[in-house]
Structures are given as structure tokens and as C-alpha cells.
Amino acid sequence: MKHNVLLIVLCTSFLPLTTLAQEDETEKATPAQEIDIEALKEELRREMREEIEARDSENKKRIEALEAQLEEQELAALEEMTADVDGFEKYFNVYGFFDLTFFNIFMEENSPYKLFVHDRSTFLLSNVNLYVSSQMTETLSALVELKFTFAPQGKILEYEYFNYPGVAFERVDTEIQDFYSVERSKLGGVRIERAHMAYSPVDWFNVIAGRYLTPFGIWNVDHASTVRLTTRVPFTQTIGFLTPAQTGLQVFGRFFPVQRVFLDYAITLSNGRGPINEIVDIDDNKAVGLKLKLTYQADNFNIALGGYGYMGQVSDSKMVLHVVGLDPEITPEEPIKVETAMMMKYDEYVVSTDLTIEIFGFKLQGEYIWQRTAMEKSPARDFSVGLFAGGTGMADIYMPSYIGTAAYGLLSYRIPLLGEMALTPYFLFEYSSYDDTADFSRSVFYIGGLNFAPSRYITLKLDAGVTKPLHEGMGDGIKSIAGQIAVSF
Amino acid sequence: MTTSMRIFSLLILSLALGIVGREARAENPLDLLIVANSTVPIDTITKDDLKQIFLKQRQTWPGGQKIIPLHVKGNPELRNRFRKIVLAMTAAKEKDYWEDQKMRSGLKDPPELKDVLKAAFRLKGSITYVLRKDYIEGVVKIVATFPAE
């Protein structure tokens, strides 16, 4: 500390003397140094130029080297990023949807519609569908859609008839009890909606093998509750004029004849319809179908017109065993013979058309379907249907050949909201006559509602509908309200 | 100078300015460029074809090569611009479209990559979009240009 104080005192003491000496030297040297300064300035300028040029050259070299290095790094990163990609996107996805519906149907106290629909307010979980899709190679893919259901829980097997003893009301009960815990649970079922592989080498030629959705109309292929507007599928679809799925082969493709236009085609070959068509064709007749669909697509205007024609045979047969001792014609040498006896056989011809028009948020979609059934060996009608058709009491009434028609039109307007949200009001009108020999089958339907999609995964729907029978015997018809939440995952 | 000569001169001048204007616009760094892998067998493409490709309505190039459309990731502005110009859709509509396709046929929306240019350079049959300022000469080929507004 003492040393520091001494140093400060010494410095401050000599500072004025040093300053005076410098001033004196500057005054004496001024005339001689004016010339030297100019020369020095020039020299400095030259040196600076040389130094800048040298630095420029060095920088250029460094930039070139860095650019080369960067390019190398980018290429290396690129190689690394795409090393495992063969030119197609390989994937395996599991996803699905389910919905919960609340509905209440209003009808007259003794309405015949009670045979077909539940008339109390209820929650209903009817769709739990799981998809597994995979792109295995560039041209091979597979898709499986499974529908989990609580069915046949609750299905009504038999009604009770007033003043007709011996026939009791019967409903399926699938309840079982665990052997160990004695916990009770209800068994459900799994329906294979579709399971197929697709070979897709080019746009105009693809092949599907397996169980596939019948490529008709709009609703049959867009059946997920998360993507359809209404709470329920139109009667035109559920009536079953066409089998919703077929087991067999389908060849399909797309052509692009002119700008904005594409033509889709599909040729189907399958077991057709039958009691066990998913796994076995009971007759040798294969069902064939042809679909054509023309689409024009512009920015704010799309139109698509399609059609599907189908021809198949529906049959059912039983096996009758002829055994020795029961059939006198059977000998002990050949103790058993199996006879295949036809129980039901008819041909069906179906034509369906569909139209979609989209223009500035408005969407109009419609489908028309026509079915002709030509009986060769008629099955018995359902008892209740037989009665409605004009039958008497318990007499057997066989189904005659018939023609069924149905059509619907659905008009909607999509209002985009914030982000991915959209609100879509809709109105549906429908007409159906599923059997021209049974007048009671003619009805009209009106449904109005709102569809709101608050997020990518949730769709909320609310609608109200009226079903008006066009036959006096069916009473006043029914009214309904329904709300649904559909979830995709 | 006669009146007809004046009109002719003005016409030539306006044409020249128009060309200059176009030249200047063509170099806008915010132009949207549609670029494709060098193996893609086309040199130009229309907006309608692009829409079909990015909606996977068209999945093979002429000759049968698979088309791999690539969306840009992490650049919502560019993604929205492409959606507006080419797909002519809102984000909600596009979401619905893919939800529908997923349930209908198992079809998946195009993959999203951060560096689409690199991916388009490497992936055979791929097609994507970048801004002109991000385009690197010789890496991929330009098949369409949508000038900046």
C-alpha cells in the first residue's frame, strides 16, 4: 500500500516537466517533417492497398474452401437422410373411428314401426371400426377394416302374436359368466368389413384381391361416421339392394383423357350375395359388376357422375342325408348318400347412379338405385313382412319377383371457421320403395341438421328427421332427433 | 412523326417494357417453384395436374414411375401458399379430404419434410415446391413457376 502511494506521488510530480519537453521538440521539427509526411502518407496508402488486396485474395480462397466444404456436408447429409428410402413411402398404419349416438324416436302408441326401430331415448354405440393399412412395396398394399360390434346382443328372434299361443317373444342374450370370478360380461362380434391386398403398378390398372367394398355410389365407400355428414346412413344404402362388400377380385383404374377430367372404372368378379358368400359361393354363378365414373375438377367447382351395374345369383341349399335303414333305397354297400337340395334361388340385377356437385362451399350429392329380383325358387317372407304385404295369419307367403327403387339427395353448405373448424348445415330428402309388390314399403324421409367439426379428430352432429309412409296401414310415420359424436383416431 | 408511327413506337416500347417486366418478375426470390427429381419424365406441368398429384388422384408418371409428392414442413406460410394456389383448398377442407381418403382406401397424405429440396434431389419420381431464393441450380429441375404476387 505504501509503495503504491509513493508511485502516484512521483508520477504526478514529473508529468508537467515531460509535457513541456515534448512541446519544445515539436516546435523545432515542423518545417522538415511536412515533406516527410506526404511521402509517408503515400507509402502508407500503397502498403494499405497491398494489404487489402492480399486480404481479399485470402478471403476469396477461404470462401471457396468453405463453399466446397459446405457442399460436401450437404451432400453427405442428403445421402444420410435418404439412404433408407427406395423411392416409395413404406408405412404401416393402425387407425379407426367410433361414434356415440343419442336418439329419440317419436311415434304413435301402436305404430307398426315399432317392429323395426327402438322408440325410446337411448345412447347407442354402433360403430367401432379399426383399420390396418400397409404399403409393403412400391406397388403392393393391404387394407383391413374390422368392425367391432355388440351384436347379436338384443336381436329380436321372434315376436309374440296376440291370440296365437305357442310363439313366444325371444331376444338374443349374449351374457356369459366367468368360471373363476363369476364376473358377467356380454360377448360381441367382429365383422370383417374388408380385407384385401392391392397391386397398383400404374394409375390405369390396379388389382384388388380379397373382400372389398362394392364400388358403387358415394355412401358405400365413404361410410366412416367421421366423414359422413348425417347421424345415420340413408335408407337407400342400408336397404341392401346391393351387397356392401364382395369376396373376389376387382380390377380398377383411372384415365386422364383431358385436363381436369378423370375417368374411373372398376370391374368386379365375386361370389356375389348368399348366406355365406364371404367364404363360399354356394352356386357356380359368379357375380359381375362394372363401374364407370367421370369427374371434372376445377378450383371451386367439382362434378362427378358415376354408375355401377351388377348381376348375380343368390342361392341357398341344404344337405339332406340318405342313410341306410332310414331310406329304403339306400343299401348297406353304400350306407350314406348326400343330396344337395336348393332352398332358395333368384337372380338380381342392380343399377346405381350417383352425382356429386360442389360449387363454392355448396355440395349436392345424390344416389339412385334400382334392383330387379327374379325369383326361381322363392324364399319365405319374414312373417311380419308377409302380413304387411297382405298375407293372412300364419299362412306361408313366399317372396315374389320384385323391383325395388330408392334415391336420396343431400344438400349441404360448408362454412369454414377458425383453423380447421367447419360448420356444415345439411338437408337430406329420400324416397324408397324396397318392394313394388308390397305397397307399405314406400316411404319418404326428410332430415335436417348441423355438422360441426371442432378439431381434426372430432365431429359433432345434430339432426331431426321425419319419416312419412306412403301407405295408410303404416300410420303416421315417425319423427326423430339425434345427436352424435364421431371420433377418429 | 406521324400518329401511326407514334402508336407503333408506343406499342414497341410497351412490349419491351412488358418483356422487361416479365424478366424482372421471373427473378423474384419469392416465386413459388415446382421442382422435380431429374428422373421425372416431364419438363412442364399444369396446375391441374399438380392438384391431382398432391391429392394422390394421380399416382404414376407417364411410363409408370411412382409419383412421390412431398410437402414442406416447418414453413406454414409456404405450405398455405401452395395449398391456396395449387389445391385451391382451405386447411380444413384439405384435412377433411385426407380423413376421407384414409377411411375410404387407406390412402395417406404426402409426407412432409423440412428440406424438400434435398429429398427431391434424391428421391426418384419426387416432386415438391420451394421458393426461388431457396432453389439451387442443377439439384432438381423446375417444372412450373407461380410468380410472387
Side-chain angles (χ1 to χ4, degrees):
Chain A
M1 186 69 182
K2 281 178 183 173
H3 289 105
N4 287 343
V5 173
L6 183 66
L7 189 65
I8 291 165
V9 170
L10 282 171
C11 285
T12 47
S13 306
F14 287 108
L15 192 63
L17 293 173
T18 315
T19 311
L20 280 171
Q22 277 178 350
E23 280 172 2
D24 190 43
E25 280 175 14
T26 310
E27 277 171 18
K28 286 176 185 171
T30 303
Q33 281 188 354
E34 272 180 0
I35 301 160
D36 292 339
I37 285 168
E38 285 305 314
L40 189 65
K41 279 181 180 174
E42 186 56 37
E43 179 67 18
L44 277 171
R45 284 194 195 102
R46 190 182 56 78
E47 280 178 6
M48 283 172 70
R49 271 199 302 270
E50 282 175 5
E51 195 178 326
I52 288 166
E53 281 170 6
R55 279 184 189 174
D56 276 357
S57 173
E58 193 184 334
N59 283 341
K60 274 180 188 170
K61 281 177 189 169
R62 282 181 65 190
I63 288 167
E64 281 171 8
L66 283 170
E67 278 178 349
Q69 196 182 340
L70 188 68
E71 203 171 293
E72 282 299 317
Q73 283 175 354
E74 282 181 348
L75 282 171
L78 201 156
E79 290 289 336
E80 192 185 345
M81 186 183 72
T82 57
D84 59 341
V85 183
D86 301 328
F88 75 97
E89 198 194 352
K90 196 173 184 174
Y91 60 78
F92 179 85
N93 287 337
V94 180
Y95 54 96
F97 71 90
F98 69 89
D99 59 63
L100 175 70
T101 307
F102 175 82
F103 74 87
N104 198 359
I105 287 178
F106 309 94
M107 62 179 77
E108 293 169 298
E109 183 62 30
N110 298 314
S111 171
Y113 278 100
K114 286 193 176 182
L115 286 172
F116 310 114
V117 287
H118 184 76
D119 68 335
R120 298 284 186 272
S121 66
T122 183
F123 287 101
L124 176 72
L125 185 72
S126 66
N127 292 301
V128 183
N129 287 36
L130 191 70
Y131 294 72
V132 179
S133 74
S134 174
Q135 183 78 40
M136 294 88 77
T137 72
E138 192 172 289
T139 51
L140 274 181
S141 62
L143 177 65
V144 174
E145 183 184 355
L146 302 173
K147 178 172 181 164
F148 296 89
T149 168
F150 292 111
Q153 167 72 6
K155 179 178 166 57
I156 294 171
L157 292 174
E158 188 56 270
Y159 301 108
E160 189 171 305
Y161 296 88
F162 177 72
N163 234 356
Y164 188 82
V167 181
F169 180 85
E170 188 182 355
R171 176 181 277 154
V172 175
D173 182 1
T174 62
E175 190 171 78
I176 53 132
Q177 181 178 293
D178 185 89
F179 283 107
Y180 178 66
S181 68
V182 299
E183 182 186 20
R184 288 177 174 273
S185 56
K186 285 171 180 169
L187 296 175
V190 178
R191 193 168 96 191
I192 302 171
E193 295 266 33
R194 52 181 155 169
H196 58 71
M197 59 138 280
Y199 172 63
S200 311
V202 283
D203 284 329
W204 55 268
F205 181 78
N206 304 266
V207 182
I208 273 181
R211 185 153 182 85
Y212 53 83
L213 298 180
T214 302
F216 80 96
I218 301 162
W219 224 286
N220 198 50
V221 286
D222 289 343
H223 65 259
S225 53
T226 46
V227 295
R228 67 173 194 239
L229 283 175
T230 55
T231 58
R232 72 165 183 84
V233 180
F235 201 54
T236 307
Q237 172 66 30
T238 54
I239 201 168
F241 283 162
L242 261 168
T243 176
Q246 301 176 46
T247 300
L249 299 170
Q250 183 186 158
V251 175
F252 68 100
R254 176 170 286 169
F255 293 96
F256 301 90
V258 290
Q259 281 283 306
R260 296 183 169 183
V261 173
F262 49 87
L263 174 69
D264 291 316
Y265 78 93
I267 300 163
T268 56
L269 177 72
S270 73
N271 286 347
R273 212 197 302 244
I276 49 173
N277 72 81
E278 298 88 352
I279 46 173
V280 172
D281 191 359
I282 282 178
D283 54 49
D284 288 327
N285 186 292
K286 294 287 168 284
V288 290
L290 172 67
K291 170 199 166 175
L292 291 171
K293 188 164 192 168
L294 195 65
T295 303
Y296 174 84
Q297 189 174 260
D299 282 353
N300 290 304
F301 176 68
N302 301 327
I303 183 167
L305 178 65
Y308 179 68
Y310 170 92
M311 192 167 65
Q313 191 173 74
V314 184
S315 57
D316 195 6
S317 57
K318 62 182 177 183
M319 281 172 282
V320 181
L321 300 185
H322 297 261
V323 293
V324 66
L326 294 175
D327 187 336
E329 291 182 9
I330 302 300
T331 60
E333 288 76 34
E334 287 182 276
I336 187 165
K337 280 185 179 175
V338 179
E339 179 200 359
T340 303
M342 192 62 70
M343 296 195 299
M344 168 192 80
K345 190 176 182 182
Y346 61 87
D347 294 321
E348 56 177 356
Y349 308 90
V350 189
V351 175
S352 83
T353 57
D354 58 271
L355 173 71
T356 308
I357 300 171
E358 286 179 88
I359 181 163
F360 291 103
F362 283 99
K363 184 176 182 181
L364 174 68
Q365 77 176 58
E367 292 185 56
Y368 169 81
I369 189 161
W370 176 92
Q371 178 203 37
R372 179 173 172 267
T373 303
M375 295 293 170
E376 199 171 307
K377 183 168 178 53
S378 296
R381 267 183 163 154
D382 286 347
F383 192 81
S384 55
V385 174
L387 284 169
F388 283 125
T392 52
M394 298 294 117
D396 281 339
I397 299 173
Y398 290 98
M399 288 179 73
S401 296
Y402 65 90
I403 289 174
T405 50
Y408 78 85
L410 173 64
L411 180 67
S412 62
Y413 179 67
R414 183 191 176 84
I415 306 163
L417 303 174
L418 282 174
E420 292 182 344
M421 291 195 289
L423 181 70
T424 311
Y426 57 84
F427 177 74
L428 183 138
F429 170 76
E430 194 173 9
Y431 167 81
S432 84
S433 165
Y434 62 83
D435 183 344
D436 67 336
T437 65
D439 198 36
F440 73 92
S441 75
R442 292 188 305 119
S443 307
V444 289
F445 307 81
Y446 308 92
I447 295 174
L450 279 174
N451 178 303
F452 174 55
S455 87
R456 191 184 178 92
Y457 307 106
I458 304 285
T459 308
L460 302 168
K461 308 168 194 177
L462 190 66
D463 63 28
V466 174
T467 301
K468 295 290 288 181
L470 300 175
H471 182 267
E472 287 180 2
M474 294 298 286
D476 281 348
I478 58 177
K479 296 178 181 67
S480 65
I481 53 166
Q484 186 177 76
I485 175 168
V487 181
S488 75
F489 54 90
Chain B
M1 190 181 274
T2 62
T3 311
S4 57
M5 278 179 74
R6 277 185 193 145
I7 291 168
F8 182 73
S9 303
L10 279 170
L11 190 67
I12 293 293
L13 184 66
S14 59
L15 276 172
L17 285 173
I19 290 163
V20 170
R22 271 205 299 277
E23 288 290 325
R25 215 170 49 203
E27 293 303 320
N28 191 324
L30 295 180
D31 287 346
L32 180 67
L33 305 184
I34 308 299
V35 294
N37 180 269
S38 58
T39 60
V40 167
I42 53 142
D43 292 319
T44 57
I45 195 164
T46 65
K47 195 185 86 170
D48 297 316
D49 287 344
L50 275 172
K51 184 174 180 175
Q52 289 171 352
I53 284 170
F54 277 84
L55 295 180
K56 289 197 176 176
Q57 293 166 340
R58 185 193 287 263
Q59 297 195 55
T60 54
W61 294 111
Q65 187 184 30
K66 280 282 170 189
I67 303 176
I68 304 175
L70 301 169
H71 273 306
V72 68
K73 188 181 184 179
N75 189 343
E77 199 179 324
L78 179 59
R79 181 83 168 78
N80 287 340
R81 195 169 152 208
F82 178 82
R83 186 188 290 118
K84 190 180 166 191
I85 294 173
V86 175
L87 304 182
M89 283 180 172
T90 60
K93 189 87 189 287
E94 191 188 359
K95 183 263 300 180
D96 281 1
Y97 175 83
W98 287 113
E99 191 67 21
D100 185 23
Q101 294 301 312
K102 190 173 76 172
M103 299 299 182
R104 180 189 290 199
S105 56
L107 210 57
K108 201 170 164 284
D109 53 341
E112 289 186 345
L113 293 169
K114 209 162 188 179
D115 201 337
V116 283
L117 202 62
K118 285 179 185 174
F121 170 74
R122 181 67 181 173
L123 294 175
K124 288 176 182 172
S126 62
I127 184 165
T128 188
Y129 47 93
V130 291
L131 292 178
R132 186 182 289 280
K133 68 185 175 67
D134 299 323
Y135 171 71
I136 300 170
E137 187 84 39
V139 172
V140 286
K141 61 178 174 183
I142 300 173
V143 290
T145 303
F146 297 98
E149 288 169 2

